[in-house]
Amino acid sequence: MLALSVVLLAALAIVGVTITIRRTRSVGGRARSRRPLWRWLAGAMAALCLVLAAVFTLAFHNRYWRWRDCFNELGRCYDPANQEIYLEQAGLVWGGLAALAIAGALIALAGWWRRRG
């Protein structure tokens, strides 16, 4: 739930910055270049997506990958040392979120690379 809140907050920030950029016309009679701001925004989004990808990948490893051989026919695994029950569906959730974050980082990096010149 926290990760979803962070992603929604980032999306709202992007929309706010986009609206602000489009409203700025000129400064001192000259048109301002929007390229540096867009490049900075793409780099910041790439960094945010990479951090989220690292967190989701760590959660995927801790909640599913370590226990993948332990799951029973109901999709559950009991760890007697920690007294926790791990669910097989966690692999789909955390793995999917990690894949989406990596895809977002690649897209943002492509935009950053394209705007560098």
Side-chain angles (χ1 to χ4, degrees):
M1 191 66 178
L2 177 66
L4 182 61
S5 300
V6 169
V7 171
L8 287 176
L9 185 63
L12 287 174
I14 290 171
V15 169
V17 169
T18 303
I19 291 171
T20 303
I21 289 172
R22 290 186 183 200
R23 287 192 180 177
T24 57
R25 302 270 180 187
S26 64
V27 173
R30 292 183 300 178
R32 283 182 22 174
S33 174
R34 297 177 184 167
R35 230 170 218 212
L37 185 59
W38 278 113
R39 185 166 188 250
W40 180 86
L41 182 62
M45 286 307 301
L48 175 69
C49 286
L50 285 174
V51 168
L52 286 175
V55 169
F56 293 150
T57 303
L58 183 64
F60 174 76
H61 180 265
N62 288 336
R63 301 299 293 175
Y64 173 75
W65 192 256
R66 288 175 46 188
W67 310 102
R68 66 189 182 280
D69 296 331
C70 175
F71 294 113
N72 62 13
E73 64 276 356
L74 297 176
R76 298 184 184 130
C77 174
Y78 177 70
D79 180 24
N82 295 334
Q83 295 185 349
E84 284 193 53
I85 298 174
Y86 298 99
L87 300 176
E88 196 170 17
Q89 293 88 353
L92 181 64
V93 172
W94 292 116
L97 288 173
L100 286 174
I102 290 170
L106 290 175
I107 290 169
L109 282 173
W112 176 80
W113 184 262
R114 190 178 56 154
R115 288 184 176 86
R116 71 183 173 93

